[in-house]
Amino acid sequence: MSVIVCEFVTLDGRVSDPDGRGGTATGGWAFRYGSETVGGDKFRLAHALDEGVLLLGRRTWELFATIWPGRDDPFATRMNKAAKLVVSHTLADTSSWTNSTLVEGDLHTAVENAPGDVIVTGSLTIVRALREKDLVDEYRLLIFPTVLGSGDRLFADGEPPADLELLSVDTVGAAVLTRYVRAGR
């Protein structure tokens, strides 16, 4: 079992509001590069989605629950079939997106007991909580050729250092998909 973090990231390490739905002044930066960059299985998750679980925070889950159920392309079919764990203290009903279940109890226990790989997309609060417990095994970062100068960073100042090993680099439209694993794992 691996914990895989997938993020849209700017050259200056920002992850805030890539689709513009957050209403920030710099929002929508990832989607300016077109569907060939952001559409489909850009993070190369097909196998992991078939056998693992998506771990999502409330805001990311709510966004995805409005997008994916209405699509029927091959990647959407995988997203809709995948098991989903939702971390929320306020969400009561996950029935709008199939195979979604609220995490009951401790996040770390839910991750450790998950069947197969755990895929975290967006959900920066969850990423930080998992990183704090040294549970992230792999980062799949789709890096866009833009600099925002403000917004949340994937790796915030003051976080513990981590040594990573590069697995691969691929061009994806206007962006670059990089895959890193923790050194020595």
Side-chain angles (χ1 to χ4, degrees):
M1 188 271 300
S2 293
V3 174
I4 303 167
V5 169
C6 300
E7 297 285 346
F8 289 164
V9 183
T10 64
L11 282 176
D12 60 342
R14 310 296 176 167
V15 294
S16 297
D17 202 12
D19 66 354
R21 292 177 194 246
T24 63
T26 57
W29 50 268
F31 289 76
R32 288 193 292 262
Y33 295 96
S35 61
E36 70 178 23
T37 304
V38 297
D41 190 8
K42 300 306 182 195
F43 290 106
R44 314 294 195 261
L45 294 172
H47 179 69
L49 283 174
D50 291 344
E51 298 180 10
V53 62
L54 284 167
L55 177 63
L56 306 164
R58 179 192 51 82
R59 284 182 292 172
T60 303
W61 182 88
E62 287 177 335
L63 170 63
F64 284 10
T66 64
I67 295 171
W68 293 108
R71 295 184 180 172
D72 63 358
D73 60 87
F75 183 66
T77 299
R78 278 198 156 108
M79 287 289 284
N80 290 323
K81 282 185 179 180
K84 300 156 200 74
L85 294 176
V86 185
V87 179
S88 175
H89 299 293
T90 58
L91 189 64
D93 181 18
T94 59
S95 64
S96 63
W97 195 16
T98 59
N99 301 321
S100 295
T101 306
L102 286 169
V103 170
E104 307 237 352
D106 180 66
L107 169 64
H108 306 105
T109 301
V111 168
E112 290 168 356
N113 292 330
D117 291 337
V118 175
I119 304 156
V120 185
T121 302
S123 307
L124 190 57
T125 302
I126 292 171
V127 171
R128 289 183 174 154
L130 295 173
R131 197 166 45 236
E132 182 179 294
K133 297 291 186 182
D134 196 29
L135 293 175
V136 177
D137 299 297
E138 181 179 345
Y139 294 93
R140 296 186 188 186
L141 308 177
L142 196 56
I143 303 171
F144 289 79
T146 193
V147 175
L148 297 181
S150 64
D152 289 328
R153 291 182 185 267
L154 177 58
F155 300 102
D157 290 342
E159 289 189 34
D163 292 322
L164 305 173
E165 293 177 14
L166 180 65
L167 284 183
S168 65
V169 177
D170 295 297
T171 302
V172 178
V176 176
L177 176 64
T178 59
R179 292 182 61 197
Y180 295 94
V181 292
R182 289 290 308 266
R185 284 201 180 178

